[in-house]
Amino acid sequence: MMRLALFPAAAWRALAVAGVVFAAPAAPLAADAFTAQQKAGVEKIVHDYLLANPEVIREAIDELKKREEAAELAMREKAVNDLGDKIGNSANQAVVGNPDGDVTLVEFFDYNCGYCKQSLASVQKLIEGDPKLRVVLKDFPILGPDSVETAHVATAARLQLSREKFWEFHKKLLSTRGHIGKAQALAAAKEVGADMDRLEKDANSAETQAALKDVATQAEQLKFDGTPSWVIGKEAVVGGLPYAQLKAKIDNLRKCGKTAC
């Protein structure tokens, strides 16, 4: 809805010349503030103005997109602040890389997410090239029942495997080609030496259910509606990020305390 108070100056001049209205109102006018003849005149001038200056529509759409993105970023930053230490130090997560690292990268992922599979190489490269990086992995299964079953197995694996073994399991499972489910997750866990009897029991436990619910609640607060989603410092981002962009954000955090200096 276009607000008359924000109408282009050139259009106001055109309206004045046409004798429809002689000064821009101090506040937006209600539709019933105009006579039928004045409304028809305004509509005609707006129509002609936009046809003569169609770039105004694109500029308005671009501006709206910028405002929506800024509002979304601000909302997510507030959620990061509200959640505080829960994001990077919850019991319901896996920690790989350096557990005492000076920068924490948090990834919400789904084992059936194609972009998460692509991001694995970037995360692995970051860990291998940055001995001070701490990476937090949070199961966020949003791509159907198979993803949920896989997450149950992965959560159970996390409960018994060492950090190194879980990272091996995670890489093996996330690099599996095609759609996966419980069978592939169990096979990956067996390959890294998991206690399968305990795994089956833990996968169906109340603790596993609570862990996945906790991550889902955090994702909801952060307005994460896709995977992968990331939290770096105070910034929360949805979508795949290339290695160079992730590294730049991490480097900036060390440099100035923000992801963009």
Side-chain angles (χ1 to χ4, degrees):
M1 180 178 178
M2 183 178 292
R3 294 195 175 192
L4 290 175
L6 301 178
F7 205 64
W12 277 115
R13 289 194 292 272
L15 288 168
V17 170
V20 177
V21 63
F22 293 94
L29 294 176
D32 58 7
F34 294 97
T35 65
Q37 182 179 1
Q38 286 175 326
K39 282 191 282 187
V42 169
E43 290 171 1
K44 176 67 167 59
I45 289 173
V46 171
H47 174 270
D48 292 348
Y49 178 84
L50 292 177
L51 284 182
N53 303 274
E55 65 277 3
V56 170
I57 298 175
R58 186 179 298 278
E59 290 172 7
I61 292 173
D62 290 344
E63 179 61 26
L64 177 61
K65 185 178 179 181
K66 288 179 184 177
R67 294 185 187 187
E68 289 177 339
E69 288 176 348
E72 190 174 77
L73 286 172
M75 177 179 60
R76 287 197 174 121
E77 184 174 329
K78 182 180 183 302
V80 171
N81 286 325
D82 290 345
L83 283 166
D85 205 42
K86 291 181 181 179
I87 298 176
N89 290 288
S90 167
N92 303 315
Q93 61 189 31
V95 177
V96 295
N98 184 345
D100 300 314
D102 62 344
V103 170
T104 296
L105 171 67
V106 182
E107 179 185 8
F108 288 70
F109 69 94
D110 184 310
Y111 280 109
N112 277 311
C113 163
Y115 291 107
C116 299
K117 292 177 184 288
Q118 292 175 21
S119 296
L120 175 61
S122 296
V123 173
Q124 185 172 353
K125 186 176 179 181
L126 286 168
I127 290 174
E128 291 173 351
D130 188 344
K132 293 183 178 181
L133 180 64
R134 178 175 180 266
V135 176
V136 169
L137 303 172
K138 291 179 178 283
D139 273 294
F140 183 36
I142 59 173
L143 297 177
D146 283 341
S147 290
V148 173
E149 288 188 350
T150 302
H152 275 75
V153 174
T155 300
R158 172 179 58 78
L159 292 174
Q160 65 167 280
L161 295 175
S162 67
R163 186 172 64 256
E164 293 77 12
K165 282 291 185 180
F166 182 81
W167 179 227
E168 184 181 342
F169 164 85
H170 177 79
K171 290 187 291 181
K172 188 180 295 292
L173 191 54
L174 198 54
S175 61
T176 302
R177 302 181 72 175
H179 192 81
I180 63 173
K182 182 178 180 180
Q184 290 86 349
L186 289 173
K190 186 175 182 178
E191 285 184 43
V192 300
D195 179 333
M196 300 307 291
D197 290 336
R198 178 185 169 188
L199 190 77
E200 287 277 11
K201 181 180 178 181
D202 288 345
N204 298 306
S205 69
E207 183 179 0
T208 291
Q209 293 278 8
L212 293 173
K213 183 178 180 181
D214 178 52
V215 174
T217 299
Q218 290 182 28
E220 182 179 4
Q221 287 181 257
L222 292 162
K223 305 300 180 185
F224 285 164
D225 55 2
T227 52
S229 290
W230 314 85
V231 178
I232 314 172
K234 297 296 184 181
E235 184 180 7
V237 186
V238 177
L241 297 177
Y243 167 80
Q245 194 170 344
L246 285 169
K247 187 176 186 306
K249 290 179 182 294
I250 293 166
D251 290 344
N252 284 336
L253 269 179
R254 291 193 174 110
K255 180 180 177 181
C256 67
K258 299 184 293 184
T259 54
C261 295

